[in-house]
Amino acid sequence: MGRATDGNGPTRSRERFLQGEAVEAGVRVPISNSWQRCRALGLSPDQPGLPFRDDFERDARIVRAAGPVLDRLQSWFAGSRMNISLADGDGTVLLRRFGETSLARSLPAFQRVPGFVFAEQYAGTNGIGLALAERQLVQVYGAEHFAERAQGNACRALPVRDPISGRIEGVLCLGYPRSAEDPALAGVIRRAARAIERRLLGQSSERERALLRTYLDTSAETAAEPHHSVGVGELTLGMRPCDRAILMEKAVELISCAQRAAVRVALSDGRRVTLVSRPMTTATGVEGFVTEAILPGPAPYEPLLVPWAAEEPVRLTLVPTDFTRDTATSGGSAASAEPTTSAAAAAAVASAASALAPAPVSPVSPVVQAMSVVPAVPPSAAVPVPAATGLVPLRAEAREAEAVGEPGSEPAGRSESGAGARAAAGGRRGSAAPANPPARGLVLVGEAHVGRYALAARRRLELLTDASTRIGTTLDVRRTAEELAETAVPRLADYVTIDLPEAVLRGEEATDPFSDLYRTVVHGIRDDCPFDPVGKRTDYGPATPHQRCLTSGQAVLEPDLRSAMGWIGHDPLRAETLLAQLSSLIAVPLVARGVILGVAVFYRGQHHAPFDDDDRSLVQELAGRAALSIDNARRYTRERTMVLALQRSLLPQGLPDQDAVDVAHRYLPAESDVGGDWYDVIPLSGTRVGLLVGDVVGHGMLSAATMGRLRTAARSFAELDFSPDEVLTHLDNLVGRLDREDPIAGGAGVFGATCLYAVYDPTTQQCTMARAGHPPPALVRPDGTVSFPDLPAGPPLGLGGLPFEAVDIDLPENSRLVLYTDGLIEGRDRDVDVVLDRLRGVLAHPERTPEEICETVLDTVAPVHPHDDIALLVARTHALAPERIASWDLPADPALVSEVRAAALRQLADWGLEEAGFAAELMLSELVTNAIRHGSGPVRVRLLHGRTLICEVSDRSNTAPHLRRAASTDEGGRGLFLVAQLAQSWGTRYIRQGKVIWAECGLDAA
C-alpha cells in the first residue's frame, strides 16, 4: 500500500478507497468512476498477472496502419524510458515499442510480446482500459492506477477510430515514469493517432483499387462479347440529375446487400435500367462487389425481394464523381489522380500532415473515382440514399452467367467495362453483336460494409428530415415535446423522457432550469418501464448524466449504464430496476437561443446495441431542432396568454343587478389563437334588459382590441335606449369608419363582425331581437320545446348599405334564451345541421338552470379542440307581477294632473312606499305637465315597482325634453332640473308611436 507514498497523485485517497471509505473530492471523476467499477468487478490491486490471447489477428488493418507510426515514435523516444503500445478495441495489446531496449527485460515475460489484455475489467484503472471507457484522451498518473505494480508509472492513451465508420479500432498508449511527465505528450499522441487514422483511410482506398483492377482485368480478358459496354459518363449522358443520383443510390443498396442481386430502376423519362451486383475477389484475397448498369434489353428477370439492413450507423457519404474523362485525352493511358475527398476530409488530412504522417497514398485511375469515401461528415450533410425497392436476385444459373458474369466462366454477358477498360481492351468487338444489344457499364465498386455505412447515414438523415416535419406541428409546448419523443421511438431509442420547468409550460423563461424540472413526457416501446410519472418534480444529483448535460450544455453519453456510477449512486433502488431493462442512455439539454428549456434523455434496452458517439451527435442535432420548436411554442404560449388576458379584461367582469332574467355565461378561447368574441348584459329603463353577443372576424391582438371597441360602443348605443335594429345600424357605421381610418387596412375592409342583440321586457314578456350575420338564438319554451327563431339575417357589420330588421317574440316566464357565437356549431369537419340537432336535444330539458345548461352545452356540443372562440349566454326570463304595475290613461287636460298625483300616492301606499311618495309626486307632476303642454295626447302614466320605483310618462310626440339651466328671469325651465335632482337617473326612449320619459327613484328616497 505504500509503494507510491513518495510520489505525487491521490495516494491517500486511493488508500482510503481501498479501505472502504468515501473517495475525496480531489480525485478526478473518470478515475473515481473507474475505481468504483473495479470494486464492483471484485478486482484486487495486487493481482499477479493479466489474461493473454494468442488468437488475435496479427495482420489486422490497425496493425498495418500503425506499424510505421510506432516505428517513428520509437525513433523519436530513443534512449528514453518510453513504452509505446497499440491495443485493439477489446484492450488486447497488438504492438509494443520501447525507447530503451533494456526496458523490455524489466517486464514480465508474457508482457514482452503482443497478446496480453489491458482491458479495465482485467487490469483495473489504466490508460488503455480508461481510454476505451471514456472514449477520449485520458491520463493516468501514479496512484491513480488501480494495480500496485503500476504505481510508479504514468501514461496517456487515446482511442484510434476508423475514419469511415467512426468506430474505435484501437488505443494508442504512451507509458513513462512519473518523473518524465510532459504536457507536450498530449500533442504528440494526438498527431500520432491522426497519422494512424489517415493510414486506415488509405488502406480502404487500396482495397477499392485492388477490386477495381481485378474488375478491369476480368473485363479486358472477355472483351469479345455481344453486349455494348458503356462507361458511366456515356451511360448517364443526357440523363437528368435526379436519374443519375438514383442510379448511384441504388448501386449503394446493391453493394450493401453483400450478395448477388439486381434491381430495376425506373427513370423519369419512362425508361428502365437494370443494375446488377456481383462479388469480386482479387488475387490477394480482397473481397468486394461491383455494380453494373444494363440498358434496356430483352432478358427478363423474375422479381424476388432481397432483404437489406444496415449495421452500426456511421458518418459516411458516397460521392459520385466525374466519369466523363476518357483515356484518349491522356494519350491512351489512364491519368493519375488522388481519391476525391470533401473539404472536411481535406482539412483533416492537412491537420494530420506532420513528421508522423506516412507516405502518400499511391495514385489511382480516374475510374476508381466511381466511389469516393468521405469520412467524418455530420449526418445532416450526408447524401440521401432512398430505400431500395424491388431488389431481384438472379434466380436461374443461365441468367446469372448471362447477366452477371460469373468469374471463371465464359458466358457472353461477363465482360462489362468502364470507359478506361474499353480503351485498354482496344474497344468493343461489334462483329458478333446483335441488332439491338443491351449496353452495360460499371457504376460502382466497393465493399459491402461501405454500403451499409451509407445506408445507416441515410437513415440518420431520414430521421432528421422526418423530425423537421413531425416536430413542431402545433404551438403547444407539451405536445411539441411529445412529438420529439414519438419521432425518436423506436427508430433511435426505446424510451425517451423529457423534463421541462413549469415556467416553460406556462410560456415563461425558467428562473432556475437546473432544479425547477418536472417530468413532462414519458414515451417508449412499452408502458411498464419504471420512470418517474408525468407531473412529478425531478431532482438530479451533480454526478448524473442529466445534470452534467445541463451544466456543460452538451449531450452526455453513457454507453454502459452498469458502469455509470453517478447515475446509479443517485438512486440505487430505481437504478437497479431500470438496469434490468436498459443498457445505455444519452442525456441532452434542450437549448434554444441561449436559453435552457429542459433536458431530454434517450434510453436503449438490453436487446439493442448501446449508443455510440455518432448517436450522440445525432441526438444533439435532433434535440437542437426540437428545442427551437419548443421555444417557438413557449413564445407563442406567452403571447397567447397576453392576448387572452387582454380579451378577458375587455369582457364583462361581473353581471349587473337586474330582475328581468337569470343569466349564465361562458367564454372558451380557441386552442390555436384568441379571437374577438364577446357578450354583454345591459340593464335598460323600464326593468328591461339587453342581451348582446358578437364575434369579430380574425384572431389575435387586433381582433381582441377591436372587440373591446365594439363592445364599448354597443353598450353606449344600448344605454341610449335605441332599438335593436338601430343599435346594429350604429355599429355598422362604426365598423365601416374603423376600416376607413385604419392605416394598415388601406380601405380594404380588414375589420368585420357579426352581432345579435335582444331586448327583453318583463312587463310585457316580449323580446325584440335583430342580428347582423350572426347565428340565430335558441329559444326554449317552459314546456321544453326548442326552436331557432327565423330572424332576418342581416349583413355582417361593416358592409353598410343594407337595413337591419327587428322581430318581436313572446317569451313566457321561465323561458330560456340561448345566444352563442359560431365557434359553438361550426368547424372544419362539422355539419351545422347535425350540431344544431344535438344542441336542440341538449336544451330540451326545462328543469336545468342556466349554469347547468352552459356546462352541458360545452361538454356535449362544443368541439373538443375548438378552432374558434366560443361565447355562450343563457338567460332564463322572469315576468314582473301585474300587481307591481300601475298605469293610467288620460287626455291632454292639465286639470287631471292633480288626480294622477293622488292616484299615484294611493298606489304607493298600497305598495308600502309612502317614504318615496314626495319625490314621486313631484316627478310625476312635472313629467305629466310637460307631456300635456309640449306633447300630443293621449298621455299614459305608469308606475313600476321593482328594485326601484320607476315613473314613466308617454305621449305620441317625438320631441324630447332637454335639461338646461334656467336664467333668473325665466318663468319656466326648472322642472326637468328638479326631476334630475330627485331621480337616480332619468331619460327618454322612443317607441313606435311617440316617446317615453322615465325617471327612476330609489326606494329609500324621502
Side-chain angles (χ1 to χ4, degrees), residues 1-11 14 45 81-83 103 106-107 125-126 139-156 174-181:
M1 293 294 295
R3 298 177 65 182
T5 56
D6 57 342
N8 296 324
T11 306
R14 179 176 176 276
R81 298 184 61 81
M82 183 64 69
N83 175 9
L103 184 60
S106 64
L107 297 175
T125 306
N126 69 91
Q139 177 188 14
V140 182
Y141 192 93
E144 289 181 333
H145 288 88
F146 188 78
E148 289 286 352
R149 62 177 176 272
Q151 297 294 292
N153 299 327
C155 65
R156 292 180 184 265
L174 301 180
Y176 44 88
R178 288 181 300 163
S179 58
E181 173 61 37

Short mmCIF file of all heavy atoms in Angstrom, two decimals, residues 1-11 14 45 81-83 103 106-107 125-126 139-156 174-181:
data_model
loop_
_atom_site.label_atom_id
_atom_site.label_comp_id
_atom_site.label_asym_id
_atom_site.label_seq_id
_atom_site.Cartn_x
_atom_site.Cartn_y
_atom_site.Cartn_z
N MET A 1 0.82 -1.21 0.00
CA MET A 1 0.00 0.00 0.00
C MET A 1 0.84 1.25 0.00
O MET A 1 0.36 2.31 -0.30
CB MET A 1 -0.92 0.01 1.23
CG MET A 1 -1.99 -1.06 1.21
SD MET A 1 -3.16 -0.82 -0.09
CE MET A 1 -3.90 0.72 0.44
N GLY A 2 2.12 1.15 0.33
CA GLY A 2 2.91 2.36 0.45
C GLY A 2 3.89 2.57 -0.67
O GLY A 2 4.82 3.34 -0.54
N ARG A 3 3.71 1.86 -1.81
CA ARG A 3 4.71 1.94 -2.86
C ARG A 3 4.73 3.29 -3.54
O ARG A 3 5.73 3.67 -4.13
CB ARG A 3 4.46 0.85 -3.90
CG ARG A 3 4.56 -0.55 -3.31
CD ARG A 3 4.24 -1.60 -4.34
NE ARG A 3 5.22 -1.61 -5.42
CZ ARG A 3 5.14 -2.43 -6.46
NH1 ARG A 3 4.11 -3.26 -6.55
NH2 ARG A 3 6.06 -2.42 -7.39
N ALA A 4 3.66 4.04 -3.48
CA ALA A 4 3.61 5.33 -4.17
C ALA A 4 3.50 6.48 -3.22
O ALA A 4 3.18 7.59 -3.60
CB ALA A 4 2.42 5.35 -5.14
N THR A 5 3.80 6.26 -1.96
CA THR A 5 3.61 7.34 -0.98
C THR A 5 4.62 8.45 -1.14
O THR A 5 4.41 9.54 -0.63
CB THR A 5 3.71 6.77 0.44
OG1 THR A 5 4.98 6.09 0.58
CG2 THR A 5 2.59 5.80 0.71
N ASP A 6 5.73 8.17 -1.86
CA ASP A 6 6.73 9.22 -2.01
C ASP A 6 6.51 10.04 -3.26
O ASP A 6 7.28 10.95 -3.54
CB ASP A 6 8.12 8.59 -2.07
CG ASP A 6 8.23 7.56 -3.19
OD1 ASP A 6 7.15 7.11 -3.66
OD2 ASP A 6 9.36 7.23 -3.58
N GLY A 7 5.50 9.74 -4.04
CA GLY A 7 5.28 10.47 -5.28
C GLY A 7 4.01 11.28 -5.24
O GLY A 7 3.34 11.39 -4.22
N ASN A 8 3.75 11.91 -6.37
CA ASN A 8 2.53 12.69 -6.50
C ASN A 8 1.35 11.77 -6.78
O ASN A 8 1.50 10.58 -7.04
CB ASN A 8 2.67 13.71 -7.62
CG ASN A 8 3.76 14.72 -7.33
OD1 ASN A 8 3.93 15.11 -6.18
ND2 ASN A 8 4.49 15.11 -8.35
N GLY A 9 0.15 12.32 -6.81
CA GLY A 9 -1.04 11.54 -7.10
C GLY A 9 -1.88 11.34 -5.86
O GLY A 9 -1.44 11.56 -4.74
N PRO A 10 -3.12 10.88 -6.06
CA PRO A 10 -4.07 10.74 -4.93
C PRO A 10 -3.79 9.48 -4.11
O PRO A 10 -4.66 8.61 -3.97
CB PRO A 10 -5.42 10.68 -5.65
CG PRO A 10 -5.10 10.05 -6.96
CD PRO A 10 -3.74 10.53 -7.35
N THR A 11 -2.58 9.37 -3.57
CA THR A 11 -2.22 8.17 -2.81
C THR A 11 -3.12 7.96 -1.61
O THR A 11 -3.66 6.87 -1.38
CB THR A 11 -0.76 8.27 -2.35
OG1 THR A 11 0.07 8.51 -3.48
CG2 THR A 11 -0.33 6.99 -1.65
N ARG A 14 -6.59 6.91 -2.61
CA ARG A 14 -6.65 5.51 -3.04
C ARG A 14 -6.64 4.58 -1.84
O ARG A 14 -7.38 3.58 -1.80
CB ARG A 14 -5.48 5.21 -3.96
CG ARG A 14 -5.41 3.77 -4.45
CD ARG A 14 -4.27 3.61 -5.43
NE ARG A 14 -4.13 2.22 -5.83
CZ ARG A 14 -3.45 1.30 -5.15
NH1 ARG A 14 -2.86 1.64 -4.02
NH2 ARG A 14 -3.36 0.06 -5.59
N PRO A 45 -5.96 -5.06 -6.12
CA PRO A 45 -4.88 -4.20 -6.60
C PRO A 45 -3.54 -4.91 -6.72
O PRO A 45 -2.63 -4.39 -7.38
CB PRO A 45 -4.83 -3.09 -5.55
CG PRO A 45 -5.43 -3.68 -4.33
CD PRO A 45 -6.46 -4.63 -4.81
N ARG A 81 12.85 6.13 -21.40
CA ARG A 81 12.10 5.02 -20.83
C ARG A 81 10.63 5.08 -21.24
O ARG A 81 9.72 4.91 -20.44
CB ARG A 81 12.25 5.02 -19.31
CG ARG A 81 13.70 4.83 -18.84
CD ARG A 81 13.78 4.73 -17.32
NE ARG A 81 13.04 3.60 -16.78
CZ ARG A 81 13.49 2.35 -16.74
NH1 ARG A 81 14.68 2.06 -17.26
NH2 ARG A 81 12.75 1.39 -16.23
N MET A 82 10.40 5.36 -22.54
CA MET A 82 9.05 5.44 -23.09
C MET A 82 8.59 4.07 -23.55
O MET A 82 9.34 3.34 -24.23
CB MET A 82 9.01 6.42 -24.27
CG MET A 82 7.63 6.62 -24.85
SD MET A 82 6.48 7.38 -23.69
CE MET A 82 7.17 9.02 -23.58
N ASN A 83 7.38 3.70 -23.16
CA ASN A 83 6.76 2.43 -23.53
C ASN A 83 5.58 2.75 -24.45
O ASN A 83 4.60 3.36 -24.02
CB ASN A 83 6.30 1.70 -22.27
CG ASN A 83 5.53 0.44 -22.59
OD1 ASN A 83 5.46 -0.01 -23.73
ND2 ASN A 83 4.92 -0.14 -21.56
N LEU A 103 14.38 -1.83 -21.51
CA LEU A 103 13.14 -1.67 -20.75
C LEU A 103 12.26 -2.91 -20.86
O LEU A 103 11.55 -3.27 -19.92
CB LEU A 103 12.37 -0.44 -21.26
CG LEU A 103 11.08 -0.06 -20.53
CD1 LEU A 103 11.37 0.23 -19.05
CD2 LEU A 103 10.42 1.14 -21.19
N SER A 106 12.73 -5.61 -18.22
CA SER A 106 12.21 -5.38 -16.87
C SER A 106 10.75 -5.78 -16.73
O SER A 106 10.22 -5.78 -15.61
CB SER A 106 12.37 -3.89 -16.50
OG SER A 106 11.58 -3.07 -17.36
N LEU A 107 10.10 -6.11 -17.83
CA LEU A 107 8.70 -6.50 -17.78
C LEU A 107 8.56 -8.00 -17.59
O LEU A 107 9.49 -8.77 -17.92
CB LEU A 107 7.99 -6.10 -19.09
CG LEU A 107 7.92 -4.61 -19.40
CD1 LEU A 107 7.30 -4.40 -20.78
CD2 LEU A 107 7.10 -3.88 -18.34
N THR A 125 -7.82 0.17 -13.28
CA THR A 125 -7.64 1.50 -13.84
C THR A 125 -6.26 1.62 -14.49
O THR A 125 -5.24 1.50 -13.82
CB THR A 125 -7.79 2.56 -12.76
OG1 THR A 125 -9.05 2.38 -12.08
CG2 THR A 125 -7.74 3.96 -13.34
N ASN A 126 -6.24 1.83 -15.81
CA ASN A 126 -5.01 2.01 -16.57
C ASN A 126 -5.33 2.82 -17.82
O ASN A 126 -6.49 3.08 -18.12
CB ASN A 126 -4.39 0.65 -16.94
CG ASN A 126 -5.22 -0.10 -17.96
OD1 ASN A 126 -5.01 0.03 -19.16
ND2 ASN A 126 -6.19 -0.91 -17.47
N GLN A 139 -5.39 10.52 -19.13
CA GLN A 139 -4.09 10.46 -18.46
C GLN A 139 -4.29 9.76 -17.12
O GLN A 139 -5.21 10.09 -16.37
CB GLN A 139 -3.52 11.87 -18.24
CG GLN A 139 -2.21 11.88 -17.49
CD GLN A 139 -1.77 13.28 -17.10
OE1 GLN A 139 -2.57 14.21 -17.17
NE2 GLN A 139 -0.53 13.42 -16.68
N VAL A 140 -3.42 8.80 -16.85
CA VAL A 140 -3.45 8.10 -15.57
C VAL A 140 -2.07 8.27 -14.95
O VAL A 140 -1.05 7.96 -15.58
CB VAL A 140 -3.80 6.61 -15.73
CG1 VAL A 140 -3.88 5.93 -14.38
CG2 VAL A 140 -5.11 6.45 -16.49
N TYR A 141 -2.06 8.75 -13.70
CA TYR A 141 -0.79 9.17 -13.09
C TYR A 141 -0.61 8.49 -11.75
O TYR A 141 -1.46 8.59 -10.86
CB TYR A 141 -0.80 10.69 -12.92
CG TYR A 141 0.55 11.28 -12.58
CD1 TYR A 141 1.39 11.74 -13.59
CD2 TYR A 141 0.99 11.38 -11.27
CE1 TYR A 141 2.62 12.30 -13.30
CE2 TYR A 141 2.22 11.93 -10.96
CZ TYR A 141 3.03 12.38 -11.98
OH TYR A 141 4.26 12.93 -11.70
N GLY A 142 0.52 7.77 -11.61
CA GLY A 142 0.91 7.24 -10.31
C GLY A 142 -0.16 6.46 -9.62
O GLY A 142 -0.64 5.43 -10.10
N ALA A 143 -0.55 6.93 -8.44
CA ALA A 143 -1.51 6.20 -7.60
C ALA A 143 -2.91 6.19 -8.16
O ALA A 143 -3.80 5.58 -7.57
CB ALA A 143 -1.53 6.80 -6.19
N GLU A 144 -3.15 6.86 -9.29
CA GLU A 144 -4.45 6.73 -9.94
C GLU A 144 -4.62 5.34 -10.54
O GLU A 144 -5.75 4.92 -10.80
CB GLU A 144 -4.62 7.81 -11.01
CG GLU A 144 -4.78 9.20 -10.45
CD GLU A 144 -4.97 10.25 -11.53
OE1 GLU A 144 -4.49 10.03 -12.66
OE2 GLU A 144 -5.59 11.29 -11.24
N HIS A 145 -3.52 4.64 -10.84
CA HIS A 145 -3.62 3.25 -11.28
C HIS A 145 -4.21 2.40 -10.16
O HIS A 145 -3.93 2.62 -8.98
CB HIS A 145 -2.24 2.69 -11.65
CG HIS A 145 -1.68 3.26 -12.92
ND1 HIS A 145 -0.93 4.42 -12.96
CD2 HIS A 145 -1.77 2.84 -14.20
CE1 HIS A 145 -0.57 4.67 -14.19
NE2 HIS A 145 -1.08 3.74 -14.98
N PHE A 146 -5.00 1.43 -10.55
CA PHE A 146 -5.59 0.56 -9.54
C PHE A 146 -4.61 -0.51 -9.09
O PHE A 146 -4.58 -0.88 -7.91
CB PHE A 146 -6.86 -0.08 -10.12
CG PHE A 146 -7.66 -0.84 -9.12
CD1 PHE A 146 -8.48 -0.19 -8.21
CD2 PHE A 146 -7.59 -2.23 -9.06
CE1 PHE A 146 -9.21 -0.89 -7.27
CE2 PHE A 146 -8.33 -2.94 -8.13
CZ PHE A 146 -9.15 -2.27 -7.24
N ALA A 147 -3.80 -1.01 -10.01
CA ALA A 147 -2.88 -2.10 -9.69
C ALA A 147 -1.65 -1.57 -8.95
O ALA A 147 -1.15 -0.48 -9.24
CB ALA A 147 -2.45 -2.83 -10.96
N GLU A 148 -1.14 -2.36 -8.01
CA GLU A 148 0.04 -1.97 -7.24
C GLU A 148 1.28 -1.86 -8.13
O GLU A 148 2.12 -0.97 -7.94
CB GLU A 148 0.30 -3.01 -6.14
CG GLU A 148 -0.71 -2.98 -5.00
CD GLU A 148 -0.52 -1.78 -4.10
OE1 GLU A 148 0.48 -1.07 -4.27
OE2 GLU A 148 -1.37 -1.55 -3.23
N ARG A 149 1.39 -2.74 -9.13
CA ARG A 149 2.61 -2.78 -9.94
C ARG A 149 2.79 -1.54 -10.81
O ARG A 149 3.89 -1.28 -11.31
CB ARG A 149 2.59 -4.01 -10.84
CG ARG A 149 1.43 -4.01 -11.81
CD ARG A 149 1.46 -5.22 -12.74
NE ARG A 149 0.30 -5.25 -13.60
CZ ARG A 149 -0.86 -5.81 -13.29
NH1 ARG A 149 -0.98 -6.40 -12.11
NH2 ARG A 149 -1.88 -5.79 -14.11
N ALA A 150 1.71 -0.74 -11.00
CA ALA A 150 1.79 0.42 -11.89
C ALA A 150 1.88 1.72 -11.13
O ALA A 150 1.77 2.80 -11.73
CB ALA A 150 0.58 0.44 -12.83
N GLN A 151 2.10 1.69 -9.82
CA GLN A 151 2.05 2.91 -9.03
C GLN A 151 3.13 3.92 -9.40
O GLN A 151 2.96 5.11 -9.25
CB GLN A 151 2.16 2.56 -7.54
CG GLN A 151 1.01 1.72 -7.01
CD GLN A 151 -0.32 2.48 -7.04
OE1 GLN A 151 -0.50 3.43 -6.30
NE2 GLN A 151 -1.21 2.06 -7.93
N GLY A 152 4.27 3.46 -9.87
CA GLY A 152 5.35 4.38 -10.18
C GLY A 152 5.32 4.89 -11.61
O GLY A 152 6.26 5.59 -12.02
N ASN A 153 4.29 4.59 -12.38
CA ASN A 153 4.24 4.94 -13.80
C ASN A 153 3.15 5.97 -14.06
O ASN A 153 2.26 6.19 -13.25
CB ASN A 153 3.98 3.69 -14.64
CG ASN A 153 5.06 2.65 -14.47
OD1 ASN A 153 6.23 3.00 -14.27
ND2 ASN A 153 4.68 1.38 -14.54
N ALA A 154 3.23 6.58 -15.23
CA ALA A 154 2.20 7.47 -15.75
C ALA A 154 1.99 7.11 -17.22
O ALA A 154 2.87 6.52 -17.86
CB ALA A 154 2.59 8.94 -15.61
N CYS A 155 0.84 7.46 -17.76
CA CYS A 155 0.59 7.14 -19.17
C CYS A 155 -0.48 8.07 -19.72
O CYS A 155 -1.28 8.65 -18.98
CB CYS A 155 0.15 5.68 -19.33
SG CYS A 155 -1.42 5.28 -18.55
N ARG A 156 -0.45 8.19 -21.03
CA ARG A 156 -1.51 8.88 -21.79
C ARG A 156 -1.98 7.92 -22.87
O ARG A 156 -1.16 7.25 -23.51
CB ARG A 156 -1.00 10.17 -22.41
CG ARG A 156 -0.66 11.25 -21.40
CD ARG A 156 -0.15 12.51 -22.11
NE ARG A 156 0.27 13.52 -21.16
CZ ARG A 156 -0.50 14.53 -20.75
NH1 ARG A 156 -1.74 14.62 -21.22
NH2 ARG A 156 -0.04 15.42 -19.89
N LEU A 174 1.01 5.81 -24.53
CA LEU A 174 2.38 6.17 -24.21
C LEU A 174 2.56 6.04 -22.69
O LEU A 174 1.93 6.75 -21.92
CB LEU A 174 2.69 7.61 -24.64
CG LEU A 174 2.53 7.94 -26.13
CD1 LEU A 174 2.88 9.40 -26.38
CD2 LEU A 174 3.40 7.03 -26.99
N GLY A 175 3.45 5.07 -22.27
CA GLY A 175 3.73 4.88 -20.86
C GLY A 175 5.13 5.36 -20.52
O GLY A 175 6.07 5.20 -21.32
N TYR A 176 5.30 5.93 -19.32
CA TYR A 176 6.58 6.52 -18.95
C TYR A 176 6.63 6.63 -17.43
O TYR A 176 5.60 6.57 -16.74
CB TYR A 176 6.75 7.89 -19.60
CG TYR A 176 5.52 8.75 -19.52
CD1 TYR A 176 5.27 9.58 -18.42
CD2 TYR A 176 4.56 8.71 -20.54
CE1 TYR A 176 4.14 10.34 -18.34
CE2 TYR A 176 3.41 9.47 -20.46
CZ TYR A 176 3.20 10.28 -19.37
OH TYR A 176 2.06 11.04 -19.29
N PRO A 177 7.84 6.84 -16.87
CA PRO A 177 7.92 7.04 -15.41
C PRO A 177 7.22 8.32 -15.00
O PRO A 177 7.09 9.27 -15.78
CB PRO A 177 9.43 7.12 -15.17
CG PRO A 177 10.06 6.48 -16.35
CD PRO A 177 9.15 6.75 -17.51
N ARG A 178 6.78 8.36 -13.76
CA ARG A 178 6.07 9.56 -13.28
C ARG A 178 6.92 10.80 -13.39
O ARG A 178 6.43 11.89 -13.66
CB ARG A 178 5.65 9.36 -11.82
CG ARG A 178 4.51 8.38 -11.63
CD ARG A 178 4.16 8.25 -10.17
NE ARG A 178 5.32 7.78 -9.40
CZ ARG A 178 5.42 7.89 -8.08
NH1 ARG A 178 4.47 8.48 -7.41
NH2 ARG A 178 6.49 7.41 -7.45
N SER A 179 8.21 10.66 -13.23
CA SER A 179 9.09 11.83 -13.27
C SER A 179 9.25 12.38 -14.67
O SER A 179 9.76 13.50 -14.85
CB SER A 179 10.47 11.45 -12.71
OG SER A 179 11.03 10.37 -13.46
N ALA A 180 8.85 11.64 -15.71
CA ALA A 180 9.01 12.07 -17.10
C ALA A 180 7.77 12.74 -17.65
O ALA A 180 7.65 12.93 -18.87
CB ALA A 180 9.40 10.88 -17.97
N GLU A 181 6.81 13.13 -16.81
CA GLU A 181 5.58 13.76 -17.28
C GLU A 181 5.89 15.05 -18.03
O GLU A 181 6.67 15.88 -17.59
CB GLU A 181 4.65 14.05 -16.10
CG GLU A 181 3.41 14.86 -16.45
CD GLU A 181 2.55 14.15 -17.47
OE1 GLU A 181 2.44 12.91 -17.40
OE2 GLU A 181 2.00 14.83 -18.35
#
